[in-house]
Amino acid sequence: MMDLLVGKKVRLRALEPEDLPFLYSIENDTGMWDVSSASAPYSRFSLSSYIMGNTSDIYADKQMRLMIENLDGESVGLIDLFHFDPKNQRAEVGIVVMAVYRHQGLATEALSLIQNYSLKVLHLHQLYAWVDVDNQQSLKMFLRTGFCETARIKEWLYDGEKYRDAALLNFFLKNTDFIL
């Protein structure tokens, strides 16, 4: 069986202790808090504890966080499956790629890899994501990989100054070829 977590541009892998500086910079980038549920900085200790306590078992942890590396071995971002619901066979997906690595197709390929993995290994029925409707790049990326907008929620997100609408995007997994 081919490695489901390796594509032509990126590979997905489990977090390692040496990823702490990268994770710390992502989680404490206040510019990214608008697209996450973060509202306070994380300490190195709490992130180190998270890395060390993570079992890489989505059934135990109810989430899975993977590093996105380019094929040169550079960490370029993170992709998460969270709000895992084994009864209904679904999970929410979130992705972030560092600004310097954007517009190279890395996020699109990472998302395609996680879709394929979710079908073939986790046997999920559905992935979903909430995306700020003003985040056109992210919306386009999800739509490119087969997600469909199924709802728009008015004033769902608050950035400290104004409320913004959010789109609920769904992807139904089935035996299909993914964009890789």
Side-chain angles (χ1 to χ4, degrees):
M1 177 198 285
M2 66 179 237
D3 190 341
L4 297 174
L5 298 177
V6 178
K8 295 175 182 158
K9 297 179 180 184
V10 299
R11 75 175 53 92
L12 308 181
R13 64 165 178 80
L15 292 174
E16 299 287 350
E18 54 270 14
D19 295 321
L20 179 60
F22 185 87
L23 188 60
Y24 183 81
S25 70
I26 292 278
E27 293 292 355
N28 290 307
D29 181 348
T30 57
M32 293 191 193
W33 287 3
D34 287 348
V35 297
S36 73
S37 60
S39 60
Y42 287 90
S43 69
R44 283 182 177 80
F45 176 78
S46 66
L47 292 172
S48 178
S49 297
Y50 169 77
I51 292 170
M52 299 310 285
N54 186 347
T55 66
S56 295
D57 178 354
I58 196 168
Y59 288 91
D61 298 333
K62 301 293 186 233
Q63 66 178 4
M64 180 185 310
R65 172 167 275 186
L66 298 170
M67 291 295 296
I68 304 169
E69 285 184 339
N70 63 22
L71 296 184
D72 293 329
E74 300 169 309
S75 297
V76 300
L78 294 163
I79 191 163
D80 299 317
L81 293 176
F82 57 104
H83 294 147
F84 172 62
D85 180 348
K87 178 182 180 284
N88 294 299
Q89 297 176 297
R90 68 176 171 239
E92 187 169 351
V93 63
I95 187 167
V96 62
V97 170
M98 301 296 290
V100 67
Y101 295 105
R102 292 182 189 154
H103 310 291
Q104 300 174 31
L106 305 179
T108 299
E109 186 173 83
L111 187 54
S112 293
L113 289 169
I114 207 71
Q115 287 169 301
N116 197 31
Y117 180 82
S118 295
L119 171 68
K120 295 193 172 150
V121 176
L122 301 177
H123 308 290
L124 295 182
H125 170 67
Q126 175 179 177
L127 295 176
Y128 67 96
W130 289 99
V131 179
D132 182 337
V133 298
D134 294 334
N135 187 343
Q136 288 297 305
Q137 293 295 337
S138 187
L139 280 173
K140 288 176 186 174
M141 188 238 351
F142 277 97
L143 294 173
R144 229 182 351 264
T145 59
F147 279 74
C148 296
E149 183 176 329
T150 55
R152 252 185 214 221
I153 309 296
K154 297 287 183 194
E155 299 184 4
W156 192 251
L157 305 168
Y158 184 65
D159 65 9
E161 295 178 13
K162 66 178 180 169
Y163 287 94
R164 298 176 328 275
D165 297 349
L168 173 60
L169 305 172
N170 290 85
F171 183 82
F172 294 96
L173 298 155
K174 52 190 172 274
N175 286 319
T176 185
D177 291 326
F178 293 92
I179 303 166
L180 289 178

